[in-house]
Amino acid sequence: MISERAYAVEPWTVRETSLDLDVLAQSESVFALSNGHVGWRGNLDEGEPHGLPGSYLNGVHEVHPLPYAEAGYGYPESGQTVINVTNGKVLRLLVDDEPFDLRYGRLVSHERVLDLRRGVLERTCEWTSPAGSTVRVRSTRLVSLTQRAVAAVAYEVEAVGARSRVVIQSELVANESLPDSDGDPRAAVALKSPLEQEDDFASGHRLRLVHRTRRSGLRVAVAADHVVDGPERTTTHSESGIDVARLTVTSVLEPGQTLRVEKLVAHGWSGVRSLPAMADQVDAALAAAAHDGWEGLLADQRATLDDFWARADVEVEGDEEIQQAVRFALFHVFQAGARAEGRAIPAKGLTGSGYDGHAFWDTEMFVLPVLTHTAPAAVAEALRWRYHTLDEARERAAQLGLGGAAFPWRTIAGPEGSAYWPAGTAAFHVNADIADAVVRYVEATGDTAFEREAGVELLVETARLWRSLGHHDSHGVFHLDGVTGPDEYSAVADDNTYTNLMARQNLLAAADTVERHPREAERLGVDEEESAAWRDAAEAMHVPYNDELGVHEQHAGFTRYQRWDFAATRADQYPLLLHFPYFDLYRKQVVKQADLVLAMYTCDELFDDEQTARNFAYYEPLTVRDSSLSACCQAVIAAQAGHLGLALDYTREAALMDLHDLEHNTRDGLHIASLAGTWMALVAGFGGLRRDRERLKFAPRLPERLRRLAFNLEFRGRRLRVDIGADKASYSLLDGPPLSLRHHGEALTVSADEPAVRPIPAAPRRTVPHQPEHRAPNGG
């Protein structure tokens, strides 16, 4: 586990001032760079030592059989797992014939800095070899946010104190050895040598390898070009063979002299393009990168991030760790989707292989809300990926005997990749989550072209699933039976409230959208009768409620279950899923992650303040947060209920999930949804942001430990700035026409002329609910 002193607390950087090999894999995730298409883990430049080598291309995966003790109808037959593609990061170093390996010799100093404003990872170190030769190494690495296929490294070696013979081996390496899985179901399936070589090339300073995956049939090409600057008589030699292409640079450095190698790496993949076409593609990408050069790439990176931070920055006064963490979070969330362009945003982004590189509902409900207000173009691309997988979702629905589309619980390429039915197929709420993201994006941007081209069909096909999955009882009430909501400790239950309410929104949104787009409705075969049936089902949707307790039930009958014996559960028995049978979890009142609590955020207009407070008080002592998705949701509703100190504790847990490795699995990649949840906890929690169709609502309140919170939002072509203090909030329009919004229920209009300043009412006084034993918020 990363200790809280691993990184210096600074507002715009993540700085590691010493190297701890015991947590190398965790730091590789923290220092990962990506643009949504290419992902490079923060491995050391020399390739070794490493925790988990990782170079990823979004969508590149291998398929493998899913094992079952007994076959069953409707079980997915194949799984998909992300693979480590050809590694272009490697720059091995030899000093007077000895490998530069930090496990040997004496490491005088070592520092790495992730610069969140410039979008680069910088490294400086000084090392003395076992034979006494000392060198100083400096490197800067980036994955370009403007040139989608390109990543680059500038690597510099300086002789210190004495003359040194230095050799740099710049490599492309395929089929690297990976560590074995530790048995954690959240980790990736380990696939040995998934790439079959098709071509290798080395000439001058250029290298190229082309491979093809054995089963999925995807062709991967990676190429590199170099600029070498060193003393006179510096020589180079290139060669290639099976799984390796190498440029060797040799020089003799006098004290103070340096050898510098700038390495440009281009990546490409396709399931249909030929080998020559793929080779030409990466060569062309290299040519474009070389045209701008290293300095041009740096300048473009900074300009892109300057624009992003002008739209997305969140300022926090009173907690320096949260200030650093929210910027770290926004940086990685932006990286995850910036250039994904028609591909998914996986649960780990492109920072590691956890969860096999799959995308879940996390994307639509946690990541896309952040990007909707900070980088909306990335949202449209993520939703277009869902749109392009509609055929697979329709096939899955038909296989299950249902109408419309049944989107997968976990996938890379579109087919369902979950072998566990209760937490996979039965989690139909992913359909409503996708629909919610469509509606949220269109409401926030006014992008009617997207709605017409992709949104209508997504809403129609998801609505059709609900109408075929549910039924009206003899009293006309509409039920959705045998489903799993967000809480995976309550599976295959009837009338999960989150699922029902989200399905209700889905049905109404589909009906409204086909009215706005009659041509698209006609093309999809939607008539007035079908649209009316959606509205009937939505209005008759059952919402379980326990009158005696005065609370909503997570699902029908949940409140009559026996409570989990928290007193008899030891601290080392969490997460429960690794220590107790699901059978026992499914029939007890114990909640893995916010479920009904999340519904109060996503469907807030259906719960009044008193209902929200009572529900939160009931479910808080049952929620164990065995999922990183939970803390941010609990932060939002805790803030709404007036428990501002508790909300801050949960915000810290979400914010520090990876910087402090709170769940002990950051080694497998970052928790992108929890990072997004940091923004959600601050902006929707303490900022009180909610949606009201084409208007925003705010109900800001700060805990005592925070002095100020300020953030920017994009909405309907405007840029709004919200600045919250202890007793007043200011709303400023930075650009765009006047904007109507609500502040604690009061309607107001904000223009560019002057900010609107309003007082903040005091929070209601309520008893703060307790958490299960050993499960108080972990704020790092």
Side-chain angles (χ1 to χ4, degrees):
M1 179 177 175
I2 296 176
S3 77
E4 60 184 285
R5 293 179 297 278
Y7 308 111
V9 179
E10 300 171 349
W12 284 103
T13 62
V14 179
R15 185 184 306 272
E16 177 192 67
T17 56
S18 62
L19 188 67
D20 184 350
L21 297 181
D22 290 336
V23 292
L24 189 58
Q26 291 90 324
S27 66
E28 289 167 352
S29 298
V30 169
F31 290 133
L33 295 173
S34 169
N35 61 13
H37 175 59
V38 177
W40 276 5
R41 277 176 63 82
N43 305 117
L44 298 176
D45 301 287
E46 299 78 31
E48 294 182 10
H50 59 242
L52 175 66
S55 300
Y56 309 110
L57 287 173
N58 196 345
V60 174
H61 66 281
E62 186 59 294
V63 296
H64 56 89
L66 288 174
Y68 298 99
E70 295 183 19
Y73 178 79
Y75 286 7
E77 296 180 359
S78 296
Q80 308 148 47
T81 190
V82 66
I83 62 170
N84 182 30
V85 300
T86 305
N87 182 1
K89 302 188 294 288
V90 177
L91 289 141
R92 305 193 196 279
L93 173 63
L94 289 87
V95 180
D96 292 331
D97 300 325
E98 290 189 282
F100 177 80
D101 189 322
L102 303 181
R103 293 168 292 192
Y104 307 103
R106 184 169 69 92
L107 185 59
V108 179
S109 64
H110 194 278
E111 180 175 275
R112 289 188 288 178
V113 180
L114 178 63
D115 190 320
L116 305 174
R117 283 185 289 197
R118 295 169 56 226
V120 297
L121 175 63
E122 297 178 307
R123 177 189 181 207
T124 59
C125 64
E126 187 171 318
W127 176 79
T128 301
S129 74
S133 298
T134 300
V135 293
R136 189 173 293 123
V137 175
R138 291 178 287 268
S139 71
T140 304
R141 177 187 300 177
L142 66 82
V143 174
S144 176
L145 296 166
T146 56
Q147 300 197 36
R148 185 171 181 253
V150 173
V153 186
Y155 190 84
E156 191 171 276
V157 184
E158 177 187 353
V160 177
R163 189 171 189 254
S164 297
R165 182 178 299 278
V166 170
V167 178
I168 296 175
Q169 296 175 311
S170 175
E171 296 182 346
L172 305 178
V173 185
N175 289 318
E176 296 173 287
S177 296
L178 300 175
D180 292 330
S181 171
D182 61 3
D184 190 327
R186 298 166 294 185
V189 173
L191 300 179
K192 304 293 185 184
S193 301
L195 294 170
E196 293 182 327
Q197 186 184 25
E198 291 192 317
D199 186 43
D200 63 272
F201 169 85
S203 178
H205 291 174
R206 287 218 169 191
L207 310 171
R208 186 176 63 242
L209 293 177
V210 182
H211 288 78
R212 192 178 178 91
T213 55
R214 298 177 187 277
R215 297 186 183 91
S216 57
L218 305 178
R219 183 168 281 119
V220 176
V222 179
D225 198 1
H226 303 78
V227 175
V228 178
D229 184 15
E232 217 175 316
R233 296 185 61 198
T234 296
T235 62
T236 62
H237 170 72
S238 59
E239 58 188 326
S240 64
I242 296 176
D243 289 345
V244 179
R246 180 184 300 115
L247 173 70
T248 301
V249 182
T250 304
S251 190
V252 176
L253 303 180
E254 299 295 338
Q257 284 188 316
T258 61
L259 174 62
R260 178 180 173 89
V261 175
E262 295 173 359
K263 181 179 187 179
L264 305 178
V265 186
H267 309 74
W269 74 271
S270 174
V272 296
R273 303 193 75 203
S274 68
L275 190 157
M278 291 304 303
D280 290 347
Q281 177 180 325
V282 291
D283 285 349
L286 275 183
H291 180 269
D292 289 349
W294 172 253
E295 293 300 328
L297 289 173
L298 282 177
D300 287 348
Q301 194 84 339
R302 178 62 188 254
T304 299
L305 283 166
D306 282 348
D307 176 68
F308 172 71
W309 289 118
R311 291 180 281 109
D313 190 25
V314 175
E315 298 174 45
V316 181
E317 293 182 8
D319 192 317
E320 294 179 344
E321 282 191 306
I322 290 184
Q323 177 64 89
Q324 178 189 47
V326 68
R327 286 178 175 147
F328 172 78
L330 283 164
F331 175 77
H332 274 291
V333 169
F334 179 56
Q335 282 198 131
R339 302 301 306 273
E341 295 169 16
R343 296 290 168 191
I345 299 178
K348 298 292 186 181
L350 299 179
T351 68
S353 57
Y355 290 113
D356 289 304
H358 290 179
F360 296 77
W361 70 294
D362 310 17
T363 299
E364 282 76 21
M365 294 311 296
F366 295 85
V367 178
L368 296 193
V370 180
L371 294 175
T372 293
H373 292 295
T374 59
V379 178
E381 291 298 328
L383 292 173
R384 285 192 180 97
W385 168 71
R386 289 291 193 184
Y387 175 72
H388 292 312
T389 64
L390 261 172
D391 285 345
E392 288 90 346
R394 289 189 188 98
E395 290 174 9
R396 181 63 172 158
Q399 184 183 33
L400 299 173
L402 299 170
F407 281 97
W409 176 240
R410 57 187 298 172
T411 190
I412 294 176
E416 176 63 76
S418 173
Y420 187 57
W421 182 283
T425 298
F428 289 105
H429 68 83
V430 66
N431 261 39
D433 302 327
I434 293 166
D436 184 74
V438 170
V439 173
R440 186 190 313 110
Y441 169 75
V442 173
E443 285 179 353
T445 62
D447 189 348
T448 55
F450 168 84
E451 183 178 53
R452 184 173 58 254
E453 295 162 8
V456 175
E457 194 164 352
L458 284 167
L459 290 171
V460 165
E461 296 294 16
T462 49
R464 282 172 168 164
L465 176 112
W466 299 120
R467 191 62 190 83
S468 66
L469 180 65
H471 67 97
H472 289 277
D473 66 16
S474 58
H475 301 289
V477 179
F478 194 76
H479 300 274
L480 294 169
D481 296 332
V483 302
T484 300
D487 172 28
E488 294 159 19
Y489 289 172
S490 299
V492 196
D494 295 341
D495 288 318
N496 170 257
T497 296
Y498 174 87
T499 303
N500 284 19
L501 292 182
M502 292 291 287
R504 177 183 180 274
Q505 290 188 168
N506 188 169
L507 290 160
L508 292 174
D512 290 344
T513 304
V514 295
E515 285 185 10
R516 291 196 299 272
H517 299 281
R519 287 188 180 179
E520 282 67 32
E522 183 179 3
R523 176 177 61 85
L524 296 169
V526 181
D527 55 24
E528 290 185 5
E529 183 179 354
E530 184 175 21
S531 178
W534 295 341
R535 292 191 187 277
D536 288 344
E539 297 302 334
M541 188 70 70
H542 182 53
V543 181
Y545 188 81
N546 185 314
D547 291 298
E548 182 179 348
L549 296 173
V551 298
H552 289 84
E553 294 196 292
Q554 183 169 287
H555 62 73
F558 179 83
T559 55
R560 71 166 179 79
Y561 288 0
Q562 180 184 0
R563 287 201 170 205
W564 185 266
D565 190 350
F566 295 106
T569 306
R570 302 189 310 272
D572 63 358
Q573 291 180 298
Y574 293 96
L576 299 179
L577 64 94
L578 299 182
H579 299 92
F580 297 94
Y582 271 113
F583 166 73
D584 208 16
L585 296 168
Y586 288 164
R587 60 196 187 97
K588 299 287 177 59
Q589 287 193 63
V590 58
V591 180
K592 178 183 180 184
Q593 63 202 76
D595 188 306
L596 189 281
V597 167
L598 177 58
M600 294 191 294
Y601 167 54
T602 60
C603 308
D604 67 291
E605 72 282 0
L606 301 178
F607 301 87
D608 64 34
D609 287 343
E610 290 305 314
Q611 288 175 331
T612 298
R614 287 197 306 272
N615 287 338
F616 184 74
Y618 184 85
Y619 286 95
E620 183 72 357
L622 304 176
T623 305
V624 296
R625 298 190 327 286
D626 282 349
S627 166
S628 63
L629 302 180
S630 195
C632 59
C633 306
Q634 290 169 267
V636 170
I637 300 304
Q640 182 178 340
H643 309 306
L644 299 173
L646 178 60
L648 182 59
D649 291 339
Y650 279 135
T651 300
R652 286 182 57 83
E653 180 174 314
L656 300 174
M657 185 63 63
D658 291 310
L659 288 175
H660 288 186
D661 192 18
L662 297 182
E663 290 200 344
H664 314 298
N665 58 4
T666 297
R667 64 184 181 276
D668 299 322
L670 300 180
H671 298 77
I672 299 298
S674 183
L675 294 176
T678 307
W679 181 94
M680 179 173 147
L682 291 169
V683 174
F686 301 129
L689 171 66
R690 300 292 189 275
R691 298 154 48 197
D692 185 14
R693 291 188 177 271
E694 297 181 9
R695 182 165 55 183
L696 298 177
K697 301 185 294 186
F698 297 90
R701 287 192 184 98
L702 294 186
E704 290 183 0
R705 285 176 281 170
L706 297 186
R707 296 189 301 273
R708 175 174 168 266
L709 171 66
F711 51 86
N712 294 348
L713 292 174
E714 286 203 0
F715 186 75
R716 289 272 163 175
R718 290 94 156 174
R719 190 172 302 175
L720 177 70
R721 181 169 180 78
V722 181
D723 200 322
I724 305 164
D727 55 6
K728 62 184 178 181
S730 171
Y731 303 91
S732 306
L733 198 60
L734 303 181
D735 56 54
L739 177 66
S740 296
L741 54 84
R742 287 188 178 273
H743 167 85
H744 282 283
E746 176 193 354
L748 56 95
T749 300
V750 183
S751 68
D753 297 331
E754 59 179 317
V757 181
R758 292 293 186 273
I760 296 175
R765 291 184 176 274
R766 296 188 174 102
T767 301
V768 180
H770 65 86
Q771 295 76 44
E773 194 168 351
H774 309 302
R775 303 307 288 168
N778 185 355

